[in-house]
Amino acid sequence: MRIQLQPNTEQSHVLQETLVQFTVAYNHVCVYGWQHCEKNGVRLHHATYYETKSLCPGLVSDLLIQARVKATETLRSAFTWKAKKEASYPKKVANAQKQGKPAPLFKPVRCPSSEQCAVRYNVHTYSLNWETQTIRVSTTQGKMTLPFTVPHFSERYRGCNIATADLIHRKGKWWLHVVVNVPEPVVQANDTVVGVDLGLNRPAVTSNRHFLGSRHWKEVDRRTFRLRRKLQSKGTTSAKRHLKKLSRKQMLFHRDCDHVLSKRIVQSVTPGATIVLENLTNIREGVRHRKGEGQRKLHSWSFAQLYGFIVYKGQEQGMVVERIDPRHTSQTCSRCGHQARNNRRSQSVFHCRSCGYQLHADLNAAYNIRDKFCLAQGGRPVLSGSLSDVLSSHASA
């Protein structure tokens, strides 16, 4: 949950100094780890602790350790991304040579750094009082008590046990992102399984026949893309400043869409059920789109963020979220099981070449996702309505 702090001018200066020193400690560990190819947290701690202590004398030991922990997480991610890019580059060169195109430019992964790293607190460096709405945090000038306000959409988490928190300064305002421990809901589990097909044209289609998402989302993205293209071609200082604002605005818009879509998916399923999604982790490598709108949409698709939202929203309703292999779910007939690439006549029409069965392509994929999971569990497909009953009976016949 996000809470807004209300510091006075003097307290704000102290928080800013704490943020600066925490960023220095974070960047110092990142530079050392990158130069020495080190991503082990224990070895980084022994190698950098005393140096960061001398660079940042105002930070207590716990904050220095948290800066090192955040740097370790970043270094592991950066080294993984570096190895992945280096391994895939020869394949890209070979593909370009086969097509008679020049070799693509290799863009190396650089040492991670931050201009303003959020200060991470734990139970030893901050405490929160829900009754008085005050928080006590460690700073470069010792402990400091600050008042805060809780937004209305986070009122249901008031009083929960706190875990870690991140101090963030944005547009002149101080925010604390607090992680709270919410008790597990008491919901009776049931055998209902609902498959969800996620897509670019239709945001989500469920096997219980819910077509979720809004059509105007695509038009907003198109409008933003056209504006971004004009600003990039202009290239002035004001255009670059506008692009930076537009980037954040688009990020917030996509996040809001994912929140709305995940909420509607969870609301369309009975509490205690199982939601099955496709594992889209490597979809950008496995799916080839022609250049243009399709490729742009694919590379801006925030499916990992959407999956995380569905998981935690489902947990509040006692639901389990699973993922399956997405291969052939769009090419297989949910009635007879015939698989062929030409079964899918268009983006929205599925017409089986074997049995002649026809329905919406995304709905057919949602049925396949559900049945594929159920069969993998060793059980029969779970029915969720009259139409599904008909399909499953035809398949068993």
Side-chain angles (χ1 to χ4, degrees), residues 349-362:
V349 177
F350 181 90
H351 191 177
C352 180
R353 297 283 183 169
S354 177
C355 67
Y357 182 65
Q358 183 172 337
L359 78 167
H360 195 282
D362 294 336

Side-chain angles (χ1 to χ4, degrees), residues 165-235:
D166 286 333
L167 179 66
I168 297 175
H169 185 236
R170 183 178 293 132
K171 294 183 178 180
K173 297 181 180 179
W174 291 95
W175 299 86
L176 196 70
H177 293 191
V178 183
V179 179
V180 296
N181 295 318
V182 182
E184 288 287 339
V186 182
V187 179
Q188 184 67 32
N190 56 65
D191 297 331
T192 303
V193 178
V194 177
V196 181
D197 178 65
L198 303 177
L200 296 173
N201 189 52
R202 287 278 186 175
V205 178
T206 68
S207 60
N208 52 0
R209 300 178 295 282
H210 288 281
F211 290 76
L212 305 175
S214 180
R215 291 185 179 274
H216 89 279
W217 292 348
K218 292 194 299 181
E219 182 54 38
V220 172
D221 273 336
R222 292 193 189 102
R223 195 161 59 241
T224 304
F225 170 72
R226 290 193 292 265
L227 177 59
R228 180 186 294 274
R229 184 168 55 186
K230 290 180 181 178
L231 293 172
Q232 287 175 340
S233 62
K234 199 170 185 180

Side-chain angles (χ1 to χ4, degrees), residues 155-364:
E155 281 290 338
R156 55 179 173 165
Y157 300 125
R158 180 189 290 272
C160 295
N161 295 328
I162 60 173
T164 60
D166 286 333
L167 179 66
I168 297 175
H169 185 236
R170 183 178 293 132
K171 294 183 178 180
K173 297 181 180 179
W174 291 95
W175 299 86
L176 196 70
H177 293 191
V178 183
V179 179
V180 296
N181 295 318
V182 182
E184 288 287 339
V186 182
V187 179
Q188 184 67 32
N190 56 65
D191 297 331
T192 303
V193 178
V194 177
V196 181
D197 178 65
L198 303 177
L200 296 173
N201 189 52
R202 287 278 186 175
V205 178
T206 68
S207 60
N208 52 0
R209 300 178 295 282
H210 288 281
F211 290 76
L212 305 175
S214 180
R215 291 185 179 274
H216 89 279
W217 292 348
K218 292 194 299 181
E219 182 54 38
V220 172
D221 273 336
R222 292 193 189 102
R223 195 161 59 241
T224 304
F225 170 72
R226 290 193 292 265
L227 177 59
R228 180 186 294 274
R229 184 168 55 186
K230 290 180 181 178
L231 293 172
Q232 287 175 340
S233 62
K234 199 170 185 180
T236 60
T237 304
S238 60
K240 293 178 181 179
R241 186 165 57 247
H242 194 173
L243 277 170
K244 188 175 182 180
K245 294 180 181 179
L246 190 64
S247 177
R248 173 167 173 77
K249 183 178 180 180
Q250 189 174 27
M251 182 269 293
L252 294 175
F253 173 72
H254 286 166
R255 185 175 183 180
D256 179 70
C257 293
D258 289 341
H259 270 300
V260 172
L261 184 60
S262 59
K263 184 177 180 179
R264 291 177 181 173
I265 290 174
V266 171
Q267 288 177 343
S268 67
V269 182
T270 57
T274 300
I275 299 176
V276 185
L277 305 170
E278 294 175 302
N279 186 1
L280 303 175
T281 302
N282 299 316
I283 190 173
R284 293 188 176 97
E285 289 81 8
V287 177
R288 292 184 180 180
H289 276 275
R290 60 180 181 271
K291 291 185 178 180
E293 186 177 7
Q295 187 180 29
R296 172 171 55 84
K297 286 183 178 180
L298 181 65
H299 285 274
S300 62
W301 191 13
S302 56
F303 57 83
Q305 177 177 259
L306 176 61
Y307 177 77
F309 289 169
I310 296 174
V311 168
Y312 89 80
K313 285 180 170 64
Q315 285 179 345
E316 294 180 340
Q317 301 297 325
M319 300 176 185
V320 178
V321 181
E322 301 286 352
R323 285 190 289 186
I324 64 163
D325 188 348
R327 287 179 291 185
H328 310 306
T329 54
S330 298
Q331 303 173 5
T332 305
C333 178
S334 59
R335 171 183 281 182
C336 67
H338 174 68
Q339 176 192 327
R341 181 173 295 179
N342 59 358
N343 276 347
R344 189 160 183 171
R345 295 292 183 88
S346 66
Q347 192 281 326
S348 60
V349 177
F350 181 90
H351 191 177
C352 180
R353 297 283 183 169
S354 177
C355 67
Y357 182 65
Q358 183 172 337
L359 78 167
H360 195 282
D362 294 336
L363 183 59
N364 175 77

Side-chain angles (χ1 to χ4, degrees), residues 126-138:
Y126 91 110
S127 60
L128 189 146
N129 191 323
W130 294 109
E131 295 181 359
T132 61
Q133 287 201 172
T134 57
I135 189 167
R136 191 164 176 82
V137 296
S138 293

